[in-house]
Amino acid sequence: MGLLLLTACGTDHGSTSAEPASQAEAVIQLAEQAEVGAEQMAILEDGDVTYDEYETAMNRAFECMRTAGFAVTVTGTNRQNGTTVLDFSVQGTTSDTDLATQAGRSRQEACYVEEARFVDAFWQTASDEVVAFEERRASALEPLLRECLASAGADVPTDASFVDLVHVASDLTSKNRTDDCIGEIGFSTWDG
C-alpha cells in the first residue's frame, strides 16, 4: 500500500476557507471529498490521529480485504519518518482478487479508501511524531544541504526553507545525475 502523498498543504499564505492551511487539514478535506466510511471520519474529526487509531483503521481495511477474498499478512512494524507503521502484504486468492488485474486492484483499493487511506495518510504525514521528526531532520540536515548545494553551484536564497532546499536539490539531481545532495546528506536514512 503506497503512502498517499499530499501537496495541497504547507503554511498559510493568506488561504481562503477552501484552501487547507496544514497537512492535517488537507487530509481531512480530502477524506470529506472522498466520502469515506463513518469510522474513518470519526478518527479524523478531532484533527489528531494516534497510533491506536491508525492501527484500528488499518485493521478494518485488512478485514474488509479479507472479506473480499484477499490474503492479508501483517508481519510487524517499521519505523518510517519518525513514526511506526504496519508492515503488511496483500495477495489475491481468486481471479476476482488478482492484483495483476485492474478489477483486483480496484477491489483492494476500495477497502483501503473506505476504511483507512486518510487515517494512514494523516498518521504518516501530519501526526505529532512525524511533524517533530521533520523538524529535527530539517534542523540537523539544513546546514549540510546548503553546503552541498553551494558546492554544486546551485543558486539558493539565504532565506530558503528546508523544504525549498530539498526541492532545489531534487531539481538539481533530475538535471544532473552526478549531483545528489539528498543522498549525500543521508536525507532518507536519517533516523534522529
Side-chain angles (χ1 to χ4, degrees):
M1 206 60 59
L3 168 66
L4 173 69
L5 297 176
L6 302 165
T7 58
C9 63
T11 57
D12 184 1
H13 298 290
S15 65
T16 65
S17 60
E19 236 177 71
S22 70
Q23 184 74 14
E25 290 173 4
V27 172
I28 293 167
Q29 190 175 75
L30 289 171
E32 289 169 346
Q33 292 168 357
E35 299 179 8
V36 300
E39 294 89 354
Q40 186 171 188
M41 278 311 300
I43 291 172
L44 294 168
E45 283 175 344
D46 69 358
D48 186 34
V49 173
T50 66
Y51 178 79
D52 288 341
E53 291 171 326
Y54 157 77
E55 186 176 36
T56 297
M58 293 299 289
N59 282 326
R60 274 198 311 269
F62 299 153
E63 188 56 37
C64 175
M65 290 175 205
R66 288 181 183 114
T67 299
F70 293 95
V72 180
T73 305
V74 179
T75 57
T77 60
N78 286 317
R79 291 293 290 169
Q80 181 176 305
N81 290 328
T83 195
T84 301
V85 295
L86 293 172
D87 186 16
F88 64 94
S89 64
V90 179
Q91 294 181 334
T93 60
T94 67
S95 60
D96 290 339
T97 61
D98 182 354
L99 292 172
T101 68
Q102 181 60 42
R105 288 188 302 274
S106 293
R107 199 176 182 115
Q108 186 237 356
E109 182 71 7
C111 285
Y112 179 58
V113 170
E114 176 75 12
E115 302 294 348
R117 168 180 255 158
F118 299 96
V119 168
D120 186 16
F122 191 112
W123 177 250
Q124 292 193 49
T125 64
S127 66
D128 292 342
E129 291 85 355
V130 171
V131 170
F133 174 83
E134 294 291 339
E135 289 171 357
R136 287 191 311 274
R137 179 165 61 184
S139 179
L141 297 181
E142 184 173 341
L144 299 172
L145 187 51
R146 281 188 185 282
E147 183 179 319
C148 181
L149 289 170
S151 294
D155 185 26
V156 180
T158 58
D159 64 343
S161 70
F162 184 67
V163 171
D164 294 335
L165 296 174
V166 169
H167 289 297
V168 170
S170 295
D171 290 345
L172 183 65
T173 300
S174 69
K175 293 174 186 167
N176 178 358
R177 300 286 178 195
T178 61
D179 291 319
D180 179 14
C181 288
I182 298 295
E184 202 172 298
I185 66 169
F187 179 87
S188 59
T189 59
W190 190 83
D191 65 359

